[in-house]
Amino acid sequence: MNLEEYLNRVGKSARTASYNISTANTGQKNSALLAAAEEIENNIPLILDENQKDLVFAEEKQLATALIDRLALNKSRVLSIIESLRHVALLDDPVGSIEQLNARPSGIQVGKMRVPIGVIGIIYESRPNVTIEAASLCLKSGNAAILRGGSEAFHSNQVLSKCFQRGLELADLDTSCVQIINTTDRGAVNAMINLPEYIDVIIPRGGKGLIEAISTGSRIPVIKHLDGVCHVFIDKDADFQQAIDITINAKTQRYGTCNTIETLLVSEAIYEQVLPSIFQRLAEKSVHIKACEKAISLASTITDLKTSPATEDDWSTEYLAPVLSVKVVPDLSSAIQHINQYGSGHTDAIITKDHQKAMKFLRAVDSSSVMINASTRFADGFEYGLGAEIGISTNKLHTRGPVGLEGLTTQKYVVLGDGHIRE
Amino acid sequence: MNLEEYLNRVGKSARTASYNISTANTGQKNSALLAAAEEIENNIPLILDENQKDLVFAEEKQLATALIDRLALNKSRVLSIIESLRHVALLDDPVGSIEQLNARPSGIQVGKMRVPIGVIGIIYESRPNVTIEAASLCLKSGNAAILRGGSEAFHSNQVLSKCFQRGLELADLDTSCVQIINTTDRGAVNAMINLPEYIDVIIPRGGKGLIEAISTGSRIPVIKHLDGVCHVFIDKDADFQQAIDITINAKTQRYGTCNTIETLLVSEAIYEQVLPSIFQRLAEKSVHIKACEKAISLASTITDLKTSPATEDDWSTEYLAPVLSVKVVPDLSSAIQHINQYGSGHTDAIITKDHQKAMKFLRAVDSSSVMINASTRFADGFEYGLGAEIGISTNKLHTRGPVGLEGLTTQKYVVLGDGHIRE
């Protein structure tokens, strides 16, 4: 059987399974999640052995240390996978709820029922816990999942998905609800993103290169974000202490996350008052400043602060590192314009005490999360109360911002009549 | 300026306009709609003259009568365009509402704000009223629109869009909010669907050929439906009179609409009781029956009923004509399976008095509208209370079923803090 035939077979059985799982009751789905957790708990030595095979191979291939770290499992990491399964079992099931059921003049009642999307393809890299995370969220939301993990985590992913399928089996659910691609052939990704007849949406998790390649090549809608070029704008009516604390938190709490800011915008009216304290604290954290002309003259007065002039490219660069671009802007409107032009539509915050300006920023900034007087680091499914997160979307259609169980569902109209015909 | 440069310029100014219109207040948008209505009212003779140019050209080119009929304007049709503008002005503005604003343990408040999508491209055929319908719905929902009408309606569309832009001008809104492509070059459609940097979503309105070509070629998400292969399933526990009345209404009220049924499914347990009356009434309406083996033997006993055996292809054919395929199925499950396999995910109804079976059908049928004891002909934005309709979507993502103002919007997360940072 060649790759295309194999993927077709996987897709076809996923489609059939999706009909079965779409109407499974919540208790049965939860049983499967809990049984999968137990299955993993009973097989920790086996899981660590399989992970060891991947680690040996990764070291042979001299993969980057960071990648090997993400790949490695130990008992505590496996326990947190088990905990996450039990957590998903506790979440409310979004499927089947009917909203806005209203009577119409014709006599029919019309509402919207929340239903699964169908078949979800997840393409991801290195971290084996994504296998269980993706499988559990797709199952709970009533979708079938086709998983394609990185070749470097092949053995770990296979053993974890087997445990999950055993959970499905024990709960009397179709094991084809969650299928993992059993080949490391790179062509499998390409085959997956060209199966619109069997897969309804693709969710890639990984580096920008992977996501870019998938978005460009996919014939299936992709839920994704590419960049996180996030901003804090300090308005002239900001509380300065809030402005300083939020900027430092949004930049330095973690450097490698997508909701970390890359650019600080400051109102011209107050930049001389607020920037020195910010620069002082960034110098202590060894953050490199790429500044506009006005800001750089201030920055150069701070001892031990690394600075360089910002180029046009800096305004749209996601550093994912201790680097911050800083720009002084005339007013709120120019801040909004800068963010909509150079940002990535991910997460942006204004610091202000002025209600009108706060509301204008909230409405006019075209991003998946827009914040008033809060750190961009809050842009996260858990912080938002979604209970779980399969990723963040900067798409404008369907689901935007952190994506939890609801983002994995859609709605259909339901019409209740009693023999009604259209006149 | 070549076509690509022209479309780029249109796209760029639409993007800028979309930021302006996204925060325009409701009163201002309504003023523009009412001013446009007045502008059209004051220019009826001019509009009919321009329409006459299109009609002369259409007759020279010997276009089909049905097409010429859709193209033709008269005073009453123009008055109904004016009425539709005033109606859209009366609808609630979906933009800016914030849902589910809840406090989180960290102290931040998180909610979802409804916001415009951005720039919407509408590609449509013949009927000039779509120009105003699309422009008004995009404007009311805060989006910029790029309109591409059929070349056969060129003069009519140009004069109508000029009236609309004059309305925008009188309300002090950016006239680039609504732009109409000013060339009949067929390459313009292709250029539009390849402008993802400037257009967020494409909505095609027209025949299946147009929609298929656009979906295949577009690099931008497309909101659409291709087919309307709709079903009525008569369960063994149906109220027979309801079953008969709904089937006749769903098939014969209008033949050419997408929510008309193409296939009737009947439970094996009662087909001999219910089909003769249905066949009798369909014979009176000269509906041709394509039937499965069981049904055809019954059908052949009815005088004046045209029948032929159904082929495999019939189950997935949208006749848009007085033709109905009929199949006897063993039970509810096989009806659901038939619909999910052969249907187009548009609108499907069950006729039953049994609550459990009704609810199973409601959950398991994977279509944009699923109905209990009601005619599929109700699947329509006006009947559902959306106030207006820009089309029907059988997409699973973003918006599904009749698409009104809400379908032209998206949501973003808003976070309200008071200096909150992440610990």
Side-chain angles (χ1 to χ4, degrees):
Chain A
M1 186 162 56
N2 70 24
L3 195 60
E4 208 179 305
E5 285 165 1
Y6 166 63
L7 259 300
N8 262 296
R9 206 188 53 176
V10 168
K12 208 168 172 176
S13 60
R15 176 63 75 206
T16 305
S18 78
Y19 293 127
N20 297 330
I21 190 71
S22 73
T23 55
N25 68 52
T26 309
Q28 208 178 357
K29 293 189 283 187
N30 289 345
S31 297
L33 293 168
L34 297 176
E38 211 175 313
E39 202 62 25
I40 293 174
E41 203 163 31
N42 295 337
N43 286 286
I44 295 180
L46 173 66
I47 291 165
L48 296 182
D49 281 355
E50 293 297 308
N51 183 242
Q52 195 55 40
K53 289 184 196 165
D54 289 330
L55 289 171
V56 168
F57 186 71
E59 269 155 33
E60 269 169 21
K61 282 191 72 180
Q62 301 185 306
L63 297 185
T65 321
L67 204 148
I68 291 181
D69 175 57
R70 286 201 294 273
L71 176 58
L73 290 177
N74 50 37
K75 195 171 169 189
S76 119
R77 284 189 174 180
V78 177
L79 289 178
S80 85
I81 291 175
I82 294 167
E83 199 190 350
S84 81
L85 274 168
R86 292 182 174 143
H87 174 69
V88 174
L90 291 175
L91 295 178
D92 282 341
D93 186 343
V95 175
S97 74
I98 298 181
E99 289 172 14
Q100 300 165 29
L101 188 72
N102 293 312
R104 299 291 311 148
S106 61
I108 58 173
Q109 286 181 287
V110 181
K112 279 170 148 185
M113 181 188 272
R114 196 155 281 288
V115 289
I117 292 174
V119 179
I120 298 180
I122 320 258
I123 299 169
Y124 53 103
E125 287 171 337
S126 47
R127 293 191 303 125
N129 61 323
V130 175
T131 302
I132 295 300
E133 214 174 281
S136 61
L137 294 177
C138 289
L139 173 66
K140 183 76 184 230
S141 54
N143 293 288
I146 300 176
L147 310 176
R148 187 8 164 118
S151 55
E152 68 288 350
F154 183 74
H155 295 94
S156 316
N157 290 336
Q158 293 290 325
V159 68
L160 285 168
S161 64
K162 279 211 183 71
C163 291
F164 197 91
Q165 289 185 317
R166 180 83 185 116
L168 290 167
E169 214 178 306
L170 289 168
D172 254 334
L173 287 171
D174 189 338
T175 54
S176 300
C177 287
V178 172
Q179 296 177 82
I180 189 155
I181 301 299
N182 69 13
T183 161
T184 56
D185 187 331
R186 282 167 175 273
V189 169
N190 199 48
M192 262 179 85
I193 63 181
N194 281 291
L195 274 184
E197 54 282 39
Y198 296 129
I199 304 182
D200 296 299
V201 63
I202 294 282
I203 304 179
R205 297 258 310 243
K208 191 173 168 181
L210 174 82
I211 293 170
E212 220 153 22
I214 287 170
S215 316
T216 312
S218 181
R219 288 172 56 214
I220 303 170
V222 177
I223 295 179
K224 56 146 208 303
H225 79 277
L226 269 181
D227 277 321
V229 180
C230 302
H231 302 74
V232 159
F233 166 57
I234 305 177
D235 175 52
K236 81 175 172 62
D237 295 314
D239 175 309
F240 289 170
Q241 194 54 49
Q242 287 193 1
I244 296 163
D245 292 343
I246 287 174
T247 303
I248 300 303
N249 183 261
K251 181 66 224 180
T252 71
Q253 199 220 6
R254 280 180 71 185
Y255 294 113
T257 49
C258 59
N259 56 17
T260 294
I261 62 167
E262 309 296 348
T263 301
L264 173 66
L265 302 172
V266 190
S267 165
E268 196 168 13
I270 46 92
Y271 81 101
E272 292 168 312
Q273 292 158 263
V274 73
L275 276 183
S277 313
I278 290 175
F279 284 157
Q280 190 57 54
R281 291 194 38 196
L282 291 173
E284 289 158 19
K285 306 239 178 201
S286 305
V287 174
H288 182 149
I289 300 294
K290 307 244 192 166
C292 73
E293 244 177 77
K294 285 207 172 76
I296 210 164
S297 59
L298 263 183
S300 57
T301 66
I302 311 288
T303 351
D304 296 331
L305 185 65
K306 288 172 289 179
T307 62
S308 51
T311 64
E312 176 72 8
D313 279 350
D314 279 312
W315 308 125
S316 47
T317 299
E318 183 180 27
Y319 304 115
L320 295 170
V323 181
L324 179 70
S325 56
V326 179
K327 188 178 190 178
V328 175
V329 293
D331 53 20
L332 173 64
S333 295
S334 44
I336 292 169
Q337 205 184 337
H338 179 100
I339 292 169
N340 284 340
Q341 180 176 352
Y342 295 103
S344 60
H346 192 296
T347 301
D348 303 289
I350 185 174
I351 318 300
T352 189
K353 291 181 292 187
D354 182 295
H355 176 71
Q356 276 175 307
K357 284 193 280 186
M359 292 315 290
K360 182 172 177 187
F361 187 88
L362 209 59
R363 282 199 65 173
V365 169
D366 187 20
S367 298
S368 73
S369 288
V370 187
M371 302 185 171
I372 298 171
N373 298 326
S375 168
T376 56
R377 289 282 296 123
F378 282 112
D380 172 297
F382 294 92
E383 293 292 339
Y384 284 5
L386 307 186
E389 181 188 290
I390 197 147
I392 285 186
S393 163
T394 56
N395 289 8
K396 285 200 174 175
L397 299 189
H398 188 63
T399 182
R400 201 174 182 201
V403 181
L405 290 175
E406 190 175 294
L408 297 176
T409 63
T410 180
Q411 290 186 306
K412 67 184 177 193
Y413 280 99
V414 293
V415 175
L416 312 182
D418 185 19
H420 289 86
I421 60 171
R422 186 144 169 205
E423 305 296 342
Chain B
M1 185 161 56
N2 68 25
L3 194 60
E4 206 180 308
E5 285 166 1
Y6 166 62
L7 259 299
N8 261 295
R9 206 188 53 179
V10 168
K12 207 169 173 174
S13 60
R15 176 64 73 205
T16 306
S18 78
Y19 293 127
N20 297 332
I21 190 70
S22 72
T23 56
N25 67 54
T26 310
Q28 209 177 358
K29 293 189 284 188
N30 289 345
S31 298
L33 292 168
L34 297 176
E38 209 175 314
E39 202 62 24
I40 293 174
E41 202 163 31
N42 295 339
N43 286 285
I44 295 179
L46 173 65
I47 291 165
L48 296 181
D49 282 356
E50 293 297 310
N51 183 244
Q52 197 54 42
K53 290 185 196 165
D54 288 330
L55 289 172
V56 168
F57 187 72
E59 271 156 30
E60 271 169 20
K61 282 192 70 181
Q62 301 186 303
L63 297 185
T65 322
L67 203 148
I68 292 181
D69 176 59
R70 286 200 295 273
L71 176 58
L73 290 177
N74 51 37
K75 193 168 173 193
S76 121
R77 284 189 174 181
V78 176
L79 290 177
S80 85
I81 290 175
I82 293 167
E83 199 190 348
S84 81
L85 274 168
R86 292 182 174 143
H87 174 69
V88 174
L90 292 175
L91 296 178
D92 283 341
D93 186 343
V95 175
S97 75
I98 298 180
E99 289 171 15
Q100 301 165 28
L101 188 72
N102 292 311
R104 299 290 311 147
S106 62
I108 60 173
Q109 285 181 286
V110 181
K112 280 171 146 182
M113 181 187 272
R114 195 155 281 288
V115 291
I117 292 173
V119 179
I120 297 179
I122 319 260
I123 298 168
Y124 54 103
E125 287 172 334
S126 48
R127 292 194 302 129
N129 61 323
V130 176
T131 302
I132 295 300
E133 214 175 279
S136 61
L137 294 177
C138 288
L139 172 66
K140 184 76 185 231
S141 54
N143 293 288
I146 301 176
L147 309 176
R148 173 42 153 95
S151 56
E152 69 287 351
F154 184 76
H155 295 96
S156 316
N157 289 337
Q158 293 290 325
V159 68
L160 284 169
S161 65
K162 281 214 182 70
C163 292
F164 197 92
Q165 290 186 317
R166 178 85 185 116
L168 290 167
E169 214 178 305
L170 289 168
D172 253 335
L173 287 171
D174 190 338
T175 55
S176 301
C177 286
V178 173
Q179 296 177 80
I180 190 156
I181 300 300
N182 68 15
T183 160
T184 56
D185 187 333
R186 281 166 175 273
V189 169
N190 198 48
M192 263 179 83
I193 62 180
N194 282 289
L195 274 182
E197 55 281 40
Y198 297 129
I199 303 181
D200 296 300
V201 63
I202 295 282
I203 304 179
R205 297 258 311 241
K208 193 173 166 180
L210 173 82
I211 293 170
E212 220 154 21
I214 287 170
S215 315
T216 312
S218 182
R219 288 170 57 214
I220 303 170
V222 176
I223 295 178
K224 57 147 205 307
H225 80 276
L226 270 181
D227 278 321
V229 181
C230 302
H231 302 75
V232 159
F233 166 58
I234 306 177
D235 175 50
K236 82 174 171 65
D237 295 315
D239 174 311
F240 289 169
Q241 196 53 52
Q242 287 193 2
I244 296 162
D245 292 344
I246 287 173
T247 302
I248 301 303
N249 184 259
K251 180 67 225 178
T252 70
Q253 200 218 7
R254 280 179 72 186
Y255 294 112
T257 49
C258 58
N259 56 18
T260 294
I261 61 166
E262 310 297 349
T263 301
L264 173 66
L265 302 173
V266 190
S267 166
E268 198 167 11
I270 47 93
Y271 81 101
E272 290 168 313
Q273 292 159 263
V274 74
L275 275 183
S277 312
I278 290 175
F279 284 157
Q280 190 57 55
R281 288 186 52 188
L282 291 173
E284 289 158 20
K285 306 239 178 199
S286 304
V287 174
H288 182 149
I289 300 295
K290 307 241 192 168
C292 71
E293 246 176 76
K294 286 207 172 77
I296 210 163
S297 60
L298 264 183
S300 57
T301 67
I302 311 288
T303 349
D304 296 334
L305 185 65
K306 288 171 288 179
T307 61
S308 50
T311 65
E312 176 72 9
D313 279 350
D314 279 312
W315 308 125
S316 47
T317 299
E318 183 179 28
Y319 305 113
L320 295 169
V323 181
L324 179 69
S325 55
V326 178
K327 189 179 189 178
V328 176
V329 294
D331 54 18
L332 173 63
S333 296
S334 44
I336 292 170
Q337 205 185 334
H338 180 100
I339 293 170
N340 285 340
Q341 180 177 351
Y342 294 102
S344 61
H346 192 297
T347 300
D348 302 289
I350 185 174
I351 318 301
T352 189
K353 291 181 290 187
D354 182 294
H355 178 69
Q356 276 174 308
K357 284 192 279 184
M359 293 315 289
K360 182 172 177 188
F361 187 88
L362 209 59
R363 281 198 67 175
V365 169
D366 187 21
S367 298
S368 73
S369 288
V370 187
M371 303 186 169
I372 298 172
N373 298 327
S375 168
T376 57
R377 289 280 298 124
F378 282 113
D380 172 298
F382 295 92
E383 292 293 336
Y384 283 5
L386 306 185
E389 180 188 291
I390 197 148
I392 285 187
S393 164
T394 56
N395 290 8
K396 285 199 174 177
L397 299 189
H398 189 63
T399 182
R400 202 175 182 200
V403 182
L405 290 175
E406 190 175 294
L408 297 176
T409 63
T410 180
Q411 290 186 305
K412 66 184 178 192
Y413 279 100
V414 293
V415 175
L416 313 181
D418 186 21
H420 291 84
I421 60 172
R422 186 146 169 204
E423 305 298 344

